[in-house]
Amino acid sequence: QDKVELIYSDTVAESDIRSELLRTEFGGCLGDGFDFKPYFGATLFKQGTELTAMQRGNLDMAGLAIYDFQNQVPATGILGAAYLYRDYDHLRAVTHSDVLNELWGEVESATGVKVLANPYIGTRHVNLRGDKKIMTPEDMAGVKLRMPGGEGWQFVGEALGANPTPMAFTEVYTGLQTGAIDGQDNPLPADKSMKFYEVTDQIVLTGHLIANNQFSISMSKWDSMNAEQQGKVQECAFNFEAALDKETLAQEAVLVDFFKGEGLDVYEPNKTAFRDHVLDMYVNSDFSKDWPAGLLDKINAL
Amino acid sequence: MSHLALLWGRLHRIAEALIVLLLASMFASFLIQIVFRYFLNLPLGWTVEFVTIAWLWGILFGYAFVLRDDEVIRLDIVYLAVPTPAQRAMDFLSSAVVAGILVWSLPQIYNYISFMKIERTAFLKIRFDHLFAIYIPFVLAVVVRSLRTCWRALKGQGYGPTASSEAAENV
Amino acid sequence: MFDPFVWALVLIVGLSLFGYSIGIAMLVGSIVFLAGRGFDTSIASETLLQGLFNSYTLLSIPLFILAADIMNAGSLADRLLRFSQAVVGRFRGGLGHVNVFSSLIFSGMSGSAIADAVGMGRIIINMMTKNGQYSPAYAAAITAASATIGPIIPPSIPMVLYALVSDTSIGFLFAAGILPGLLMGVVLMVMNGLIAKQRGFPRDEVVPLKALPGVTFRAIPALLLPLILLGGIYGGIMTPTEAAAVAAAYALVISVVVYRSVSAGQFYTTLLNSARSTAAVGILIAGALAFNYVITRQDVPASLAMFIQQFDLSPVGFLIAINLLMLALGCVLEGGAILLIIVPIFIPTAQAMGIDLVHFGVVVVVNAMLGLITPPYGLLLFVVANITGQPVGRIIRELLPFLGALFIALGIITFVPDFVLFLPRLLGYRG
Ligand code: NA
Ligand code: NA
């Protein structure tokens, strides 16, 4: 029997621990029946173009961002909303329950792409220059906060009360150093690996996004496999998810103390004030008009 | 004949005006972006997207309809060293191969462009099939220009003056 | 032999040698590779379109081109030269020094070597050869040699291309180019001084001290541009991409308002020329983007890394090998093409060897610029040959000492990373 070839594209750098885990915990787990070929650093397909590549049958698997689905399945917008999940446990309670099944079903039929797992990649917090204490969204007024490009991200920055600014990721360090921007938002491991802590003074533990990837496979590839192979791929996807969760949580656990040791002020703001403000802005904007009715309540109830 | 040449010249000047407009609007959008972000503290998202579109269209449209053959960046070290009949043979062969391959792949290219109707850009919400539509006339123009080179080669004529340095002047 | 990758390579090299557009050759080669592997051939077009659409840093290229074109359309070059003359003209071989010195200043405004040679080069060559003081070949040689500094000192189009393929910060790359660029200027001036002494070149007429303030004053608006650009980038006012727009706007304002030397009609022509250059360079980039998919899918960087591993090279040995390869390629290939096609396949190996990618970037960009003046294929050589009407061979003979001086600078740049990385580190770079 022929090996199943799986071409995978990711934007994460080859040297990143995530890439390492992907090779061992997913690729290694698959065993001899598969030929898993990952390409890292967006070398094969540019960020944001993986979904269409999968739909056209030119790519088998990718770690997608939830925003990648929004054009084709507007209802998925809810999963990219800030403060949708309270914390990591809430994320897992939701993804391991059946409340999202209907939405994922819609994604599958509309895009021809199947989401296998949602590995956790860290909780995004606001990281700022200066010593102005931030407790509520009002305190963020006038803060030039770098957010990734794209309307959804910029809206998150706005909802946090800041002036969102798009800027290329590679320029963020200099931007912070020179004061072109006042802050940025990323999970703690990224703050460390990109050395943002060297050029900022505080980390406000806003926890506004429990970031996770949509580890996906094209339906055409999925349907070409037999039940046993499908089972293996699904099993290994969960295996990878568990391993990456564990790694991310372990990193986050030690990083607060690390940043404090580097002289940063690390503290939790009034998260309820942020959460209420942000969710209120969603509900009163066009961003929530495509959200599936009642889903927010179901998620909140878990 | 002269009417045709006149019309052709006019079309060419319109094409030139179009890429000038694209570059000028790119330039202006960047300045607007800087002013809004740093002086009014109002970051704009659409400027980056608009500038990217102008860049994409400027290159493809400009290459297809404005650039003269002698402005294209090419490697003429061997080409210029061989006698004229050999140059004509090289012109004919290379242009015929390019035209053939592009024509052959055109259905797939069309398939991709039209497929992209399912995606829209982040800020201006432009459908990607519209955004990328310029690629089809671009490919067609490259094909037509290659066929013209073949025809000229058969008649014993070359590209025209080969001063490739002028257009490559900014790398 | 029937490997689709080999077919693609043969086709690209063949079409290029036959004088076909290199950008389109790469697109067509990529299509053939995809077809040979049984893939969807539209991937080449997809990669090209998405690559152009998704690379924000590339947007600085048309604007740097525009800035250089505006500067060359106005009287800015003229005023810079007069200022340079007042500063360094008084030494033996004066106009040679003026040539290099003015290139150093111009390089702080322009991202392109050819723009320097075409704009300022034309004027200074006339000055040098007017009274038969310098041979046209000597004037052409030192003009070509000093123009290579243009893209080493920021701003720099080749560094933008390198940032694209290596994913390094343009801000740090720009900072890393400053000292190497100055070093290249110094070695060229030393060489000019030595030759001047040996051949008894004249001094330029000494600009009287009381004229100095006036000459400087008239040049000030131009001299401010490098400061505005660097201050703007490192002072956090603008990104390097936006700096390109500011450079163009500033050049336009001083040319139109202050120097009153560019009319509306000239501005239109300048925009048109810049747009043409953008399209010419853009198609080269577009083809390289399409071909980059082929290189990735064929796992070329990994195979190459394995191949290099056999030789058990040290990082220094690897850098020497890269220098030799780049210089050899520079003799036959165009600089932009080298940076876009050849350099990316070596980046993973450089990284694995622990070579700093910003340092590596400066090394390869300097190499690519030297490729512009190494025979037989060197665009700068053709430009100055065209200006002076001298045969390339005679220019090359005069160029050899300067090439030697630049090789010494290249050696220092290659083997003393601390020298290259001094300024980026000062600005917070960790590498
Ligand atoms: Na010069
Ligand atoms: Na420069």
Side-chain angles (χ1 to χ4, degrees), chain A residues 5-25:
Chain A
E5 187 187 52
L6 292 174
I7 306 292
Y8 174 92
S9 176
D10 204 325
T11 51
V12 177
E14 176 131 35
S15 54
D16 197 283
I17 180 80
R18 255 155 84 179
S19 309
E20 171 74 30
L21 286 176
L22 181 78
R23 279 185 197 283
T24 56
E25 304 299 319

Side-chain angles (χ1 to χ4, degrees), chain A residues 14 18 42 48 52 62 106 109 112 121 124 148 155 159 165 167 195 206 208 224 245 248 280 290:
Chain A
E14 176 131 35
R18 255 155 84 179
T52 45
E106 194 186 330
S109 53
I121 54 175
R124 295 179 86 102
F155 180 77
T165 307
M167 182 182 273
K195 316 246 190 225
T206 45
H208 50 278
S224 75
D245 282 15
T248 310
D280 192 54
D290 298 312

Side-chain angles (χ1 to χ4, degrees), chain C residues 265-292:
Chain C
Q266 274 173 312
F267 183 50
Y268 182 86
T269 314
T270 307
L271 276 170
L272 181 57
N273 284 338
S274 302
R276 284 171 181 278
S277 298
T278 301
V281 174
I283 284 300
L284 188 69
I285 297 172
L289 285 166
F291 187 59
N292 201 39

Side-chain angles (χ1 to χ4, degrees), chain C residues 217-284:
Chain C
F217 181 77
R218 277 189 291 278
I220 277 180
L223 292 174
L224 278 179
L225 184 51
L227 294 182
I228 291 175
L229 284 183
L230 293 182
I233 294 173
Y234 300 111
I237 319 285
M238 55 211 180
T239 63
T241 311
E242 290 166 343
V246 171
Y250 186 82
L252 184 64
V253 168
I254 57 172
S255 297
V256 172
V257 181
V258 183
Y259 293 160
R260 294 174 191 282
S261 56
V262 172
S263 66
Q266 274 173 312
F267 183 50
Y268 182 86
T269 314
T270 307
L271 276 170
L272 181 57
N273 284 338
S274 302
R276 284 171 181 278
S277 298
T278 301
V281 174
I283 284 300
L284 188 69

Side-chain angles (χ1 to χ4, degrees), chain B residues 147-159:
Chain B
L147 292 177
R148 188 183 62 184
T149 306
C150 288
W151 175 242
R152 286 177 66 90
L154 286 178
K155 291 198 302 179
Q157 297 167 332
Y159 284 118

Side-chain angles (χ1 to χ4, degrees), chain C residues 178-235:
Chain C
I178 296 176
L179 290 180
L182 292 175
L183 173 70
M184 288 163 73
V186 168
V187 297
L188 288 178
M189 284 168 89
V190 167
M191 186 51 76
N192 175 58
L194 291 175
I195 297 174
K197 204 166 155 195
Q198 188 199 2
R199 300 198 200 164
F201 283 157
R203 293 159 205 274
D204 202 28
E205 55 186 292
V206 175
V207 177
L209 275 182
K210 68 175 195 295
L212 201 58
V215 171
T216 310
F217 181 77
R218 277 189 291 278
I220 277 180
L223 292 174
L224 278 179
L225 184 51
L227 294 182
I228 291 175
L229 284 183
L230 293 182
I233 294 173
Y234 300 111

Side-chain angles (χ1 to χ4, degrees), chain C residues 80-104:
Chain C
L80 275 185
L81 279 176
R82 218 155 297 157
F83 170 74
S84 307
Q85 213 175 350
V87 179
V88 294
R90 61 193 73 234
F91 304 109
R92 186 169 290 283
L95 282 177
H97 290 310
V98 171
N99 195 331
V100 179
F101 189 78
S102 58
S103 281
L104 276 175

Side-chain angles (χ1 to χ4, degrees), chain B residues 16 33 38 71 146 169, chain C residues 20 40 53 114 237 242 276:
Chain B
E16 286 182 345
Q33 173 182 319
Y38 295 107
E71 289 176 312
S146 295
E169 127 182 339
Chain C
Y20 202 86
D40 174 4
F53 187 67
I114 312 286
I237 319 285
E242 290 166 343
R276 284 171 181 278

